Amino acid sequence: MTTAQAPDSPIGQAAGSATVPRHIAIIMDGNGRWAAQRKLPRAAGHRAGAEAVRKVLQAAADHGIEVLTLYAFSSENWRRSKEEIADLTGLMRFYLERELKTIEKEGVRLKLIGDYAAFGRDLAGQLERAVERTKANSRLTLVVALNYGSQAEIAAAARDLATAAVAGTIDPSTIDEKAIGDRLETAGLPPLDLLIRTSGEVRLSNFLLWQAAYAELLFTDTLWPDFDERALADALSRYASRQRRFGGR
Ligand code: IPE
Ligand code: IPE
Ligand code: MG
């Protein structure tokens, strides 16, 4: 079925039964509660969460998912204690060091969204080197959202467009959904098909608000450290049973 929408608009995708999503995003929530249930420190929950990332990344590649976007740190997570933030950044460094070879070998391309420079030169440099080393890979794109906030991302796109309008390089009457989408950090990625949040919370917490316009939303009670290959397979089969309409019938 074809629609009158522009073909590159996410909303212009063909309606029908969903099959395998091209682009999945996950709000990886529940590390703290996983640790609390075991009377462990929160850091242990984050460590277990990093193991889940490893498994789910592998499983997503095996399922032929093109893009996996993971919410690793929100622009609001700075409200946490200094200790927890240090644990999280230390873990990112450790994970990247340990997993980069595998990521490269598995054909994964790393992409970053969010203002990751706020994590300091060391980690930012390490992240950028990993992006550089994996840029030619094409099996799966792993997008990691670090110090990411969707409202700030949209505001930056609006600022960009306003600046161009004032400079006279863009006619304000031509600013449409595509103009904004093209200025988001996710520009160039396939439309978001499936957004998963673990841990039973039912909110988006400032993640991919624009991009989720027509994504299928899936909320599961599973805590992120318990989310594994089977949980992903289950999410994919729930997705496949959805009827996507994009406003059609
Ligand atoms: C998600 O787990 C990890 C990050 C937000 C970085 P939480 O740390 O939010 O775990 P809960 O929600 O407290 O269980
Ligand atoms: C969202 O989880 C951010 C990440 C998973 C990185 P939070 O635990 O920070 O979200 P809230 O505070 O429960 O909304
Ligand atoms: Mg949480």
Side-chain angles (χ1 to χ4, degrees), residues 64-108:
I65 307 301
E66 285 174 54
V67 181
L68 178 66
T69 299
L70 300 177
Y71 205 7
F73 195 94
S74 78
S75 48
E76 287 72 39
N77 285 146
W78 297 107
R79 293 180 185 155
R80 299 197 178 193
S81 71
K82 270 207 176 74
E83 294 72 41
E84 183 165 2
I85 292 170
D87 285 340
L88 283 165
T89 49
L91 195 59
M92 288 176 215
R93 205 170 282 138
F94 173 77
Y95 179 86
L96 205 58
E97 222 159 78
R98 200 191 61 182
E99 294 300 319
L100 186 57
K101 274 218 169 70
T102 317
I103 289 174
E104 274 189 291
K105 197 178 71 205
E106 293 287 332
V108 173

Side-chain angles (χ1 to χ4, degrees), residues 114 139 157 166:
R139 184 164 168 234
V166 168

